[in-house]
Amino acid sequence: MYGRKACQLVKELASGEKGQLTPFNSDLFEQVVAECTQHHLELQALIRKMQEEGLDVQTTRNAEHHGALIRHLSLVRNKRCLMAYVYNRAETIQSFLWKIGHVLPQEIEEKLCHLEVEYFKKHSAALKSYMSKMQLDLTVDMVPPKDPYIQVRVLDDIGDGIVLSDDKTANFARHSMHFLKRTDAEQFISRGLMEELTG
Amino acid sequence: MASSDAEGLSIPIDDYETLLSTTDVELLKRAWRNEKAAPDILRFETDLIGRIREQIQLMEETAEEKSAAGVDPLSLSLYQMDLDRAQFLLRSYLRIRIQKIEKFVFHIAKTEELWNKLSREEKNFARRCTEDLKQHLEDSVLSKLPENYQSFQKQSVISEEDDMIPEAQLDTFVVCRSKEYLTGIQLEDGPVDDRSMLFEMEPGVLYFICYKSIKALVESGKIDLL
């Protein structure tokens, strides 16, 4: 049945959790592309047949025309499914920049195909370029500030000698607690390396 | 932003509130709220943002001076919080716009009206974004498809218009308020007969209306989104 595989690709996309990616299904992807090539060959064959019979391709409505139309529409539908698959994954990849940062953890990078990893790097570079021209880091300060300083506990050994925004150095050993500027702590909290102590 | 001397804040409440309603921070808050609620991208407030950045710089320098001069921690932290809030608004405003550009980059790049609403740096970002995304789509999908189907804008060579570009949904509903009495608003949705009816808005009253109907009024500053 035409379009079934493409439908499966899109369903895979829809069934994943929002903001998460499933591994790039290159097998299925290639199969859909192959189906498109097949459609196109058939389409061209049908059109050639009509031309050989001396019929006007634009206006004749015979069996070949309908066959060609079905091929064309199936091809276009497959294209839409493939584009949707790649485009939606690209949008999720863009969101990683904001949620996670410029370096992707191993478990996420495994799920991306090689082209997607390239795209992430390029997008990250574009954003960095904008932020440096504006001289502002836009990936911090995601939540309206209640207090300028917050208490945090370090969950994983980050190391010592980390330089903070006020040029002081800090030693972030595991389980240690610190009173930091919100904007300094945010990048560690979003990576799960620190937690905020509320109350 | 209220000015304060080394002894602490000493401005009477009435003057403070009047001062507050016309300050750049209020204007930034308003621009930020509008940008957050609008489905489409609005005009970049070049002058306002320029002034805000200068003021934030000034505030940072003043905060450092105060901290060095040994001003009491309470005043200092109030000052710091004010500064943080202004910085948050600025970052959030820019961030919301960048995320809108990311989402609708092809549409913005090809629609002149939208393109002109971007700042110079945003335009550079948008150019790179378009290139990167286009390249990615071409490399992953389009180059593998048969010849007449390789456009990222059209489904195939036969399509009459660019039917593959995502656009912002302008018919989402938004909550808004007008500052003055407005008449002559045409509703863009609903049954066709209703559309010829003109709608009016009273000042200070909240309305829940289709964004398309009030888009021009939001851009001219007569209506605020919430």
Side-chain angles (χ1 to χ4, degrees), chain B residues 109-131:
Chain B
K110 71 165 217 185
T111 313
E112 204 179 312
E113 186 203 332
L114 292 175
W115 185 254
N116 291 335
K117 291 185 187 170
L118 304 185
S119 73
R120 195 165 44 103
E121 292 84 6
E122 285 172 346
K123 281 180 183 166
N124 285 335
F125 174 75
R127 274 186 212 112
R128 283 182 76 159
C129 236
T130 324
E131 259 322 297

mmCIF file with all atom_site columns, all heavy atoms in Angstrom, chain B residues 109-131:
data_model
loop_
_atom_site.group_PDB
_atom_site.id
_atom_site.type_symbol
_atom_site.label_atom_id
_atom_site.label_alt_id
_atom_site.label_comp_id
_atom_site.label_asym_id
_atom_site.label_entity_id
_atom_site.label_seq_id
_atom_site.pdbx_PDB_ins_code
_atom_site.Cartn_x
_atom_site.Cartn_y
_atom_site.Cartn_z
_atom_site.occupancy
_atom_site.B_iso_or_equiv
_atom_site.pdbx_formal_charge
_atom_site.auth_seq_id
_atom_site.auth_comp_id
_atom_site.auth_asym_id
_atom_site.auth_atom_id
_atom_site.pdbx_PDB_model_num
ATOM 1   N N   . ALA B 1 109 ? 11.810 35.151 6.263  1.00 0.00 ? 109 ALA B N   1
ATOM 2   C CA  . ALA B 1 109 ? 12.820 35.544 5.279  1.00 0.00 ? 109 ALA B CA  1
ATOM 3   C C   . ALA B 1 109 ? 12.193 35.950 3.953  1.00 0.00 ? 109 ALA B C   1
ATOM 4   O O   . ALA B 1 109 ? 12.727 36.803 3.240  1.00 0.00 ? 109 ALA B O   1
ATOM 5   C CB  . ALA B 1 109 ? 13.804 34.397 5.056  1.00 0.00 ? 109 ALA B CB  1
ATOM 6   N N   . LYS B 1 110 ? 11.039 35.341 3.605  1.00 0.00 ? 110 LYS B N   1
ATOM 7   C CA  . LYS B 1 110 ? 10.515 35.677 2.292  1.00 0.00 ? 110 LYS B CA  1
ATOM 8   C C   . LYS B 1 110 ? 9.411  36.726 2.334  1.00 0.00 ? 110 LYS B C   1
ATOM 9   O O   . LYS B 1 110 ? 8.948  37.171 1.308  1.00 0.00 ? 110 LYS B O   1
ATOM 10  C CB  . LYS B 1 110 ? 10.047 34.418 1.567  1.00 0.00 ? 110 LYS B CB  1
ATOM 11  C CG  . LYS B 1 110 ? 8.806  33.811 2.135  1.00 0.00 ? 110 LYS B CG  1
ATOM 12  C CD  . LYS B 1 110 ? 8.213  32.816 1.174  1.00 0.00 ? 110 LYS B CD  1
ATOM 13  C CE  . LYS B 1 110 ? 6.715  32.981 1.302  1.00 0.00 ? 110 LYS B CE  1
ATOM 14  N NZ  . LYS B 1 110 ? 5.925  32.075 0.583  1.00 0.00 ? 110 LYS B NZ  1
ATOM 15  N N   . THR B 1 111 ? 8.975  37.136 3.530  1.00 0.00 ? 111 THR B N   1
ATOM 16  C CA  . THR B 1 111 ? 7.922  38.164 3.614  1.00 0.00 ? 111 THR B CA  1
ATOM 17  C C   . THR B 1 111 ? 8.556  39.472 4.027  1.00 0.00 ? 111 THR B C   1
ATOM 18  O O   . THR B 1 111 ? 9.012  39.625 5.151  1.00 0.00 ? 111 THR B O   1
ATOM 19  C CB  . THR B 1 111 ? 6.873  37.767 4.674  1.00 0.00 ? 111 THR B CB  1
ATOM 20  O OG1 . THR B 1 111 ? 6.525  36.414 4.483  1.00 0.00 ? 111 THR B OG1 1
ATOM 21  C CG2 . THR B 1 111 ? 5.646  38.635 4.555  1.00 0.00 ? 111 THR B CG2 1
ATOM 22  N N   . GLU B 1 112 ? 8.536  40.439 3.098  1.00 0.00 ? 112 GLU B N   1
ATOM 23  C CA  . GLU B 1 112 ? 9.265  41.674 3.368  1.00 0.00 ? 112 GLU B CA  1
ATOM 24  C C   . GLU B 1 112 ? 8.763  42.395 4.610  1.00 0.00 ? 112 GLU B C   1
ATOM 25  O O   . GLU B 1 112 ? 9.538  42.910 5.408  1.00 0.00 ? 112 GLU B O   1
ATOM 26  C CB  . GLU B 1 112 ? 9.148  42.605 2.165  1.00 0.00 ? 112 GLU B CB  1
ATOM 27  C CG  . GLU B 1 112 ? 10.297 43.592 2.101  1.00 0.00 ? 112 GLU B CG  1
ATOM 28  C CD  . GLU B 1 112 ? 10.183 44.491 0.893  1.00 0.00 ? 112 GLU B CD  1
ATOM 29  O OE1 . GLU B 1 112 ? 9.952  43.934 -0.200 1.00 0.00 ? 112 GLU B OE1 1
ATOM 30  O OE2 . GLU B 1 112 ? 10.307 45.707 1.064  1.00 0.00 ? 112 GLU B OE2 1
ATOM 31  N N   . GLU B 1 113 ? 7.446  42.393 4.768  1.00 0.00 ? 113 GLU B N   1
ATOM 32  C CA  . GLU B 1 113 ? 6.847  43.094 5.908  1.00 0.00 ? 113 GLU B CA  1
ATOM 33  C C   . GLU B 1 113 ? 7.410  42.554 7.228  1.00 0.00 ? 113 GLU B C   1
ATOM 34  O O   . GLU B 1 113 ? 7.715  43.308 8.155  1.00 0.00 ? 113 GLU B O   1
ATOM 35  C CB  . GLU B 1 113 ? 5.338  42.895 5.857  1.00 0.00 ? 113 GLU B CB  1
ATOM 36  C CG  . GLU B 1 113 ? 4.564  43.679 6.879  1.00 0.00 ? 113 GLU B CG  1
ATOM 37  C CD  . GLU B 1 113 ? 3.220  43.044 7.165  1.00 0.00 ? 113 GLU B CD  1
ATOM 38  O OE1 . GLU B 1 113 ? 2.697  42.383 6.243  1.00 0.00 ? 113 GLU B OE1 1
ATOM 39  O OE2 . GLU B 1 113 ? 2.716  43.180 8.288  1.00 0.00 ? 113 GLU B OE2 1
ATOM 40  N N   . LEU B 1 114 ? 7.564  41.232 7.305  1.00 0.00 ? 114 LEU B N   1
ATOM 41  C CA  . LEU B 1 114 ? 8.081  40.634 8.528  1.00 0.00 ? 114 LEU B CA  1
ATOM 42  C C   . LEU B 1 114 ? 9.586  40.858 8.654  1.00 0.00 ? 114 LEU B C   1
ATOM 43  O O   . LEU B 1 114 ? 10.094 41.137 9.735  1.00 0.00 ? 114 LEU B O   1
ATOM 44  C CB  . LEU B 1 114 ? 7.786  39.136 8.553  1.00 0.00 ? 114 LEU B CB  1
ATOM 45  C CG  . LEU B 1 114 ? 6.318  38.758 8.683  1.00 0.00 ? 114 LEU B CG  1
ATOM 46  C CD1 . LEU B 1 114 ? 6.155  37.258 8.574  1.00 0.00 ? 114 LEU B CD1 1
ATOM 47  C CD2 . LEU B 1 114 ? 5.754  39.247 10.006 1.00 0.00 ? 114 LEU B CD2 1
ATOM 48  N N   . TRP B 1 115 ? 10.284 40.731 7.534  1.00 0.00 ? 115 TRP B N   1
ATOM 49  C CA  . TRP B 1 115 ? 11.736 40.897 7.546  1.00 0.00 ? 115 TRP B CA  1
ATOM 50  C C   . TRP B 1 115 ? 12.139 42.247 8.106  1.00 0.00 ? 115 TRP B C   1
ATOM 51  O O   . TRP B 1 115 ? 13.102 42.381 8.854  1.00 0.00 ? 115 TRP B O   1
ATOM 52  C CB  . TRP B 1 115 ? 12.267 40.709 6.125  1.00 0.00 ? 115 TRP B CB  1
ATOM 53  C CG  . TRP B 1 115 ? 13.750 40.738 5.999  1.00 0.00 ? 115 TRP B CG  1
ATOM 54  C CD1 . TRP B 1 115 ? 14.515 41.743 5.495  1.00 0.00 ? 115 TRP B CD1 1
ATOM 55  C CD2 . TRP B 1 115 ? 14.674 39.727 6.409  1.00 0.00 ? 115 TRP B CD2 1
ATOM 56  N NE1 . TRP B 1 115 ? 15.843 41.421 5.554  1.00 0.00 ? 115 TRP B NE1 1
ATOM 57  C CE2 . TRP B 1 115 ? 15.979 40.191 6.102  1.00 0.00 ? 115 TRP B CE2 1
ATOM 58  C CE3 . TRP B 1 115 ? 14.538 38.470 7.004  1.00 0.00 ? 115 TRP B CE3 1
ATOM 59  C CZ2 . TRP B 1 115 ? 17.121 39.436 6.376  1.00 0.00 ? 115 TRP B CZ2 1
ATOM 60  C CZ3 . TRP B 1 115 ? 15.686 37.727 7.264  1.00 0.00 ? 115 TRP B CZ3 1
ATOM 61  C CH2 . TRP B 1 115 ? 16.950 38.211 6.952  1.00 0.00 ? 115 TRP B CH2 1
ATOM 62  N N   . ASN B 1 116 ? 11.344 43.290 7.735  1.00 0.00 ? 116 ASN B N   1
ATOM 63  C CA  . ASN B 1 116 ? 11.693 44.632 8.187  1.00 0.00 ? 116 ASN B CA  1
ATOM 64  C C   . ASN B 1 116 ? 11.453 44.857 9.662  1.00 0.00 ? 116 ASN B C   1
ATOM 65  O O   . ASN B 1 116 ? 11.827 45.892 10.196 1.00 0.00 ? 116 ASN B O   1
ATOM 66  C CB  . ASN B 1 116 ? 10.912 45.674 7.376  1.00 0.00 ? 116 ASN B CB  1
ATOM 67  C CG  . ASN B 1 116 ? 11.405 45.715 5.946  1.00 0.00 ? 116 ASN B CG  1
ATOM 68  O OD1 . ASN B 1 116 ? 12.551 45.364 5.674  1.00 0.00 ? 116 ASN B OD1 1
ATOM 69  N ND2 . ASN B 1 116 ? 10.544 46.121 5.034  1.00 0.00 ? 116 ASN B ND2 1
ATOM 70  N N   . LYS B 1 117 ? 10.820 43.885 10.325 1.00 0.00 ? 117 LYS B N   1
ATOM 71  C CA  . LYS B 1 117 ? 10.582 44.066 11.749 1.00 0.00 ? 117 LYS B CA  1
ATOM 72  C C   . LYS B 1 117 ? 11.761 43.583 12.587 1.00 0.00 ? 117 LYS B C   1
ATOM 73  O O   . LYS B 1 117 ? 11.773 43.733 13.802 1.00 0.00 ? 117 LYS B O   1
ATOM 74  C CB  . LYS B 1 117 ? 9.340  43.288 12.171 1.00 0.00 ? 117 LYS B CB  1
ATOM 75  C CG  . LYS B 1 117 ? 8.084  43.893 11.607 1.00 0.00 ? 117 LYS B CG  1
ATOM 76  C CD  . LYS B 1 117 ? 6.868  43.192 12.135 1.00 0.00 ? 117 LYS B CD  1
ATOM 77  C CE  . LYS B 1 117 ? 5.638  43.715 11.425 1.00 0.00 ? 117 LYS B CE  1
ATOM 78  N NZ  . LYS B 1 117 ? 4.460  42.936 11.711 1.00 0.00 ? 117 LYS B NZ  1
ATOM 79  N N   . LEU B 1 118 ? 12.760 42.981 11.930 1.00 0.00 ? 118 LEU B N   1
ATOM 80  C CA  . LEU B 1 118 ? 13.894 42.444 12.676 1.00 0.00 ? 118 LEU B CA  1
ATOM 81  C C   . LEU B 1 118 ? 14.980 43.482 12.853 1.00 0.00 ? 118 LEU B C   1
ATOM 82  O O   . LEU B 1 118 ? 15.151 44.363 12.035 1.00 0.00 ? 118 LEU B O   1
ATOM 83  C CB  . LEU B 1 118 ? 14.493 41.246 11.932 1.00 0.00 ? 118 LEU B CB  1
ATOM 84  C CG  . LEU B 1 118 ? 13.585 40.090 11.592 1.00 0.00 ? 118 LEU B CG  1
ATOM 85  C CD1 . LEU B 1 118 ? 14.389 38.977 10.971 1.00 0.00 ? 118 LEU B CD1 1
ATOM 86  C CD2 . LEU B 1 118 ? 12.901 39.570 12.821 1.00 0.00 ? 118 LEU B CD2 1
ATOM 87  N N   . SER B 1 119 ? 15.758 43.332 13.932 1.00 0.00 ? 119 SER B N   1
ATOM 88  C CA  . SER B 1 119 ? 16.913 44.207 14.112 1.00 0.00 ? 119 SER B CA  1
ATOM 89  C C   . SER B 1 119 ? 18.018 43.699 13.192 1.00 0.00 ? 119 SER B C   1
ATOM 90  O O   . SER B 1 119 ? 17.936 42.599 12.653 1.00 0.00 ? 119 SER B O   1
ATOM 91  C CB  . SER B 1 119 ? 17.383 44.159 15.556 1.00 0.00 ? 119 SER B CB  1
ATOM 92  O OG  . SER B 1 119 ? 18.020 42.915 15.805 1.00 0.00 ? 119 SER B OG  1
ATOM 93  N N   . ARG B 1 120 ? 19.067 44.499 13.054 1.00 0.00 ? 120 ARG B N   1
ATOM 94  C CA  . ARG B 1 120 ? 20.164 44.134 12.152 1.00 0.00 ? 120 ARG B CA  1
ATOM 95  C C   . ARG B 1 120 ? 20.793 42.798 12.561 1.00 0.00 ? 120 ARG B C   1
ATOM 96  O O   . ARG B 1 120 ? 21.030 41.926 11.723 1.00 0.00 ? 120 ARG B O   1
ATOM 97  C CB  . ARG B 1 120 ? 21.228 45.232 12.162 1.00 0.00 ? 120 ARG B CB  1
ATOM 98  C CG  . ARG B 1 120 ? 22.228 45.149 11.019 1.00 0.00 ? 120 ARG B CG  1
ATOM 99  C CD  . ARG B 1 120 ? 22.981 46.444 10.899 1.00 0.00 ? 120 ARG B CD  1
ATOM 100 N NE  . ARG B 1 120 ? 23.381 46.925 12.209 1.00 0.00 ? 120 ARG B NE  1
ATOM 101 C CZ  . ARG B 1 120 ? 24.613 46.836 12.722 1.00 0.00 ? 120 ARG B CZ  1
ATOM 102 N NH1 . ARG B 1 120 ? 25.557 46.274 12.028 1.00 0.00 ? 120 ARG B NH1 1
ATOM 103 N NH2 . ARG B 1 120 ? 24.879 47.288 13.916 1.00 0.00 ? 120 ARG B NH2 1
ATOM 104 N N   . GLU B 1 121 ? 21.034 42.621 13.882 1.00 0.00 ? 121 GLU B N   1
ATOM 105 C CA  . GLU B 1 121 ? 21.650 41.376 14.334 1.00 0.00 ? 121 GLU B CA  1
ATOM 106 C C   . GLU B 1 121 ? 20.709 40.191 14.132 1.00 0.00 ? 121 GLU B C   1
ATOM 107 O O   . GLU B 1 121 ? 21.144 39.087 13.816 1.00 0.00 ? 121 GLU B O   1
ATOM 108 C CB  . GLU B 1 121 ? 22.010 41.452 15.830 1.00 0.00 ? 121 GLU B CB  1
ATOM 109 C CG  . GLU B 1 121 ? 23.127 42.435 16.171 1.00 0.00 ? 121 GLU B CG  1
ATOM 110 C CD  . GLU B 1 121 ? 22.628 43.854 16.344 1.00 0.00 ? 121 GLU B CD  1
ATOM 111 O OE1 . GLU B 1 121 ? 21.396 44.043 16.302 1.00 0.00 ? 121 GLU B OE1 1
ATOM 112 O OE2 . GLU B 1 121 ? 23.460 44.761 16.521 1.00 0.00 ? 121 GLU B OE2 1
ATOM 113 N N   . GLU B 1 122 ? 19.393 40.448 14.327 1.00 0.00 ? 122 GLU B N   1
ATOM 114 C CA  . GLU B 1 122 ? 18.426 39.372 14.127 1.00 0.00 ? 122 GLU B CA  1
ATOM 115 C C   . GLU B 1 122 ? 18.393 38.956 12.669 1.00 0.00 ? 122 GLU B C   1
ATOM 116 O O   . GLU B 1 122 ? 18.243 37.779 12.339 1.00 0.00 ? 122 GLU B O   1
ATOM 117 C CB  . GLU B 1 122 ? 17.032 39.816 14.571 1.00 0.00 ? 122 GLU B CB  1
ATOM 118 C CG  . GLU B 1 122 ? 16.876 39.844 16.079 1.00 0.00 ? 122 GLU B CG  1
ATOM 119 C CD  . GLU B 1 122 ? 15.560 40.455 16.531 1.00 0.00 ? 122 GLU B CD  1
ATOM 120 O OE1 . GLU B 1 122 ? 14.889 41.101 15.699 1.00 0.00 ? 122 GLU B OE1 1
ATOM 121 O OE2 . GLU B 1 122 ? 15.213 40.275 17.705 1.00 0.00 ? 122 GLU B OE2 1
ATOM 122 N N   . LYS B 1 123 ? 18.547 39.942 11.781 1.00 0.00 ? 123 LYS B N   1
ATOM 123 C CA  . LYS B 1 123 ? 18.553 39.612 10.348 1.00 0.00 ? 123 LYS B CA  1
ATOM 124 C C   . LYS B 1 123 ? 19.725 38.698 10.027 1.00 0.00 ? 123 LYS B C   1
ATOM 125 O O   . LYS B 1 123 ? 19.583 37.736 9.275  1.00 0.00 ? 123 LYS B O   1
ATOM 126 C CB  . LYS B 1 123 ? 18.638 40.882 9.494  1.00 0.00 ? 123 LYS B CB  1
ATOM 127 C CG  . LYS B 1 123 ? 17.333 41.601 9.362  1.00 0.00 ? 123 LYS B CG  1
ATOM 128 C CD  . LYS B 1 123 ? 17.455 42.865 8.495  1.00 0.00 ? 123 LYS B CD  1
ATOM 129 C CE  . LYS B 1 123 ? 16.113 43.585 8.472  1.00 0.00 ? 123 LYS B CE  1
ATOM 130 N NZ  . LYS B 1 123 ? 16.229 44.946 7.945  1.00 0.00 ? 123 LYS B NZ  1
ATOM 131 N N   . ASN B 1 124 ? 20.894 38.996 10.603 1.00 0.00 ? 124 ASN B N   1
ATOM 132 C CA  . ASN B 1 124 ? 22.061 38.132 10.367 1.00 0.00 ? 124 ASN B CA  1
ATOM 133 C C   . ASN B 1 124 ? 21.808 36.731 10.872 1.00 0.00 ? 124 ASN B C   1
ATOM 134 O O   . ASN B 1 124 ? 22.128 35.743 10.206 1.00 0.00 ? 124 ASN B O   1
ATOM 135 C CB  . ASN B 1 124 ? 23.302 38.694 11.077 1.00 0.00 ? 124 ASN B CB  1
ATOM 136 C CG  . ASN B 1 124 ? 23.862 39.893 10.337 1.00 0.00 ? 124 ASN B CG  1
ATOM 137 O OD1 . ASN B 1 124 ? 23.664 40.026 9.137  1.00 0.00 ? 124 ASN B OD1 1
ATOM 138 N ND2 . ASN B 1 124 ? 24.539 40.771 11.051 1.00 0.00 ? 124 ASN B ND2 1
ATOM 139 N N   . PHE B 1 125 ? 21.224 36.652 12.074 1.00 0.00 ? 125 PHE B N   1
ATOM 140 C CA  . PHE B 1 125 ? 20.900 35.356 12.650 1.00 0.00 ? 125 PHE B CA  1
ATOM 141 C C   . PHE B 1 125 ? 19.921 34.622 11.747 1.00 0.00 ? 125 PHE B C   1
ATOM 142 O O   . PHE B 1 125 ? 20.098 33.430 11.460 1.00 0.00 ? 125 PHE B O   1
ATOM 143 C CB  . PHE B 1 125 ? 20.307 35.542 14.047 1.00 0.00 ? 125 PHE B CB  1
ATOM 144 C CG  . PHE B 1 125 ? 19.813 34.270 14.658 1.00 0.00 ? 125 PHE B CG  1
ATOM 145 C CD1 . PHE B 1 125 ? 20.698 33.326 15.154 1.00 0.00 ? 125 PHE B CD1 1
ATOM 146 C CD2 . PHE B 1 125 ? 18.452 34.003 14.755 1.00 0.00 ? 125 PHE B CD2 1
ATOM 147 C CE1 . PHE B 1 125 ? 20.252 32.139 15.721 1.00 0.00 ? 125 PHE B CE1 1
ATOM 148 C CE2 . PHE B 1 125 ? 17.993 32.829 15.319 1.00 0.00 ? 125 PHE B CE2 1
ATOM 149 C CZ  . PHE B 1 125 ? 18.893 31.894 15.803 1.00 0.00 ? 125 PHE B CZ  1
ATOM 150 N N   . ALA B 1 126 ? 18.895 35.333 11.271 1.00 0.00 ? 126 ALA B N   1
ATOM 151 C CA  . ALA B 1 126 ? 17.872 34.703 10.437 1.00 0.00 ? 126 ALA B CA  1
ATOM 152 C C   . ALA B 1 126 ? 18.474 34.193 9.139  1.00 0.00 ? 126 ALA B C   1
ATOM 153 O O   . ALA B 1 126 ? 18.115 33.114 8.656  1.00 0.00 ? 126 ALA B O   1
ATOM 154 C CB  . ALA B 1 126 ? 16.741 35.684 10.156 1.00 0.00 ? 126 ALA B CB  1
ATOM 155 N N   . ARG B 1 127 ? 19.405 34.975 8.586  1.00 0.00 ? 127 ARG B N   1
ATOM 156 C CA  . ARG B 1 127 ? 20.050 34.522 7.331  1.00 0.00 ? 127 ARG B CA  1
ATOM 157 C C   . ARG B 1 127 ? 20.771 33.206 7.563  1.00 0.00 ? 127 ARG B C   1
ATOM 158 O O   . ARG B 1 127 ? 20.641 32.269 6.778  1.00 0.00 ? 127 ARG B O   1
ATOM 159 C CB  . ARG B 1 127 ? 21.054 35.561 6.837  1.00 0.00 ? 127 ARG B CB  1
ATOM 160 C CG  . ARG B 1 127 ? 20.430 36.620 5.992  1.00 0.00 ? 127 ARG B CG  1
ATOM 161 C CD  . ARG B 1 127 ? 21.431 37.570 5.368  1.00 0.00 ? 127 ARG B CD  1
ATOM 162 N NE  . ARG B 1 127 ? 20.796 38.867 5.247  1.00 0.00 ? 127 ARG B NE  1
ATOM 163 C CZ  . ARG B 1 127 ? 21.136 39.951 5.937  1.00 0.00 ? 127 ARG B CZ  1
ATOM 164 N NH1 . ARG B 1 127 ? 22.144 39.907 6.785  1.00 0.00 ? 127 ARG B NH1 1
ATOM 165 N NH2 . ARG B 1 127 ? 20.475 41.081 5.786  1.00 0.00 ? 127 ARG B NH2 1
ATOM 166 N N   . ARG B 1 128 ? 21.538 33.143 8.651  1.00 0.00 ? 128 ARG B N   1
ATOM 167 C CA  . ARG B 1 128 ? 22.278 31.913 8.935  1.00 0.00 ? 128 ARG B CA  1
ATOM 168 C C   . ARG B 1 128 ? 21.338 30.756 9.190  1.00 0.00 ? 128 ARG B C   1
ATOM 169 O O   . ARG B 1 128 ? 21.543 29.642 8.720  1.00 0.00 ? 128 ARG B O   1
ATOM 170 C CB  . ARG B 1 128 ? 23.179 32.092 10.161 1.00 0.00 ? 128 ARG B CB  1
ATOM 171 C CG  . ARG B 1 128 ? 24.435 32.870 9.858  1.00 0.00 ? 128 ARG B CG  1
ATOM 172 C CD  . ARG B 1 128 ? 25.307 32.996 11.049 1.00 0.00 ? 128 ARG B CD  1
ATOM 173 N NE  . ARG B 1 128 ? 26.019 31.762 11.329 1.00 0.00 ? 128 ARG B NE  1
ATOM 174 C CZ  . ARG B 1 128 ? 27.124 31.697 12.057 1.00 0.00 ? 128 ARG B CZ  1
ATOM 175 N NH1 . ARG B 1 128 ? 27.627 32.796 12.570 1.00 0.00 ? 128 ARG B NH1 1
ATOM 176 N NH2 . ARG B 1 128 ? 27.714 30.548 12.306 1.00 0.00 ? 128 ARG B NH2 1
ATOM 177 N N   . CYS B 1 129 ? 20.271 31.038 9.949  1.00 0.00 ? 129 CYS B N   1
ATOM 178 C CA  . CYS B 1 129 ? 19.270 30.026 10.261 1.00 0.00 ? 129 CYS B CA  1
ATOM 179 C C   . CYS B 1 129 ? 18.661 29.446 9.000  1.00 0.00 ? 129 CYS B C   1
ATOM 180 O O   . CYS B 1 129 ? 18.503 28.238 8.871  1.00 0.00 ? 129 CYS B O   1
ATOM 181 C CB  . CYS B 1 129 ? 18.151 30.696 11.060 1.00 0.00 ? 129 CYS B CB  1
ATOM 182 S SG  . CYS B 1 129 ? 17.865 29.926 12.608 1.00 0.00 ? 129 CYS B SG  1
ATOM 183 N N   . THR B 1 130 ? 18.281 30.330 8.067  1.00 0.00 ? 130 THR B N   1
ATOM 184 C CA  . THR B 1 130 ? 17.671 29.873 6.819  1.00 0.00 ? 130 THR B CA  1
ATOM 185 C C   . THR B 1 130 ? 18.634 28.970 6.079  1.00 0.00 ? 130 THR B C   1
ATOM 186 O O   . THR B 1 130 ? 18.268 27.882 5.641  1.00 0.00 ? 130 THR B O   1
ATOM 187 C CB  . THR B 1 130 ? 17.343 31.053 5.886  1.00 0.00 ? 130 THR B CB  1
ATOM 188 O OG1 . THR B 1 130 ? 16.925 32.155 6.645  1.00 0.00 ? 130 THR B OG1 1
ATOM 189 C CG2 . THR B 1 130 ? 16.274 30.694 4.889  1.00 0.00 ? 130 THR B CG2 1
ATOM 190 N N   . GLU B 1 131 ? 19.865 29.455 5.952  1.00 0.00 ? 131 GLU B N   1
ATOM 191 C CA  . GLU B 1 131 ? 20.870 28.674 5.229  1.00 0.00 ? 131 GLU B CA  1
ATOM 192 C C   . GLU B 1 131 ? 21.063 27.295 5.844  1.00 0.00 ? 131 GLU B C   1
ATOM 193 O O   . GLU B 1 131 ? 21.053 26.286 5.156  1.00 0.00 ? 131 GLU B O   1
ATOM 194 C CB  . GLU B 1 131 ? 22.232 29.400 5.251  1.00 0.00 ? 131 GLU B CB  1
ATOM 195 C CG  . GLU B 1 131 ? 22.568 30.123 3.990  1.00 0.00 ? 131 GLU B CG  1
ATOM 196 C CD  . GLU B 1 131 ? 22.132 29.379 2.758  1.00 0.00 ? 131 GLU B CD  1
ATOM 197 O OE1 . GLU B 1 131 ? 22.637 28.261 2.504  1.00 0.00 ? 131 GLU B OE1 1
ATOM 198 O OE2 . GLU B 1 131 ? 21.235 29.890 2.045  1.00 0.00 ? 131 GLU B OE2 1
#
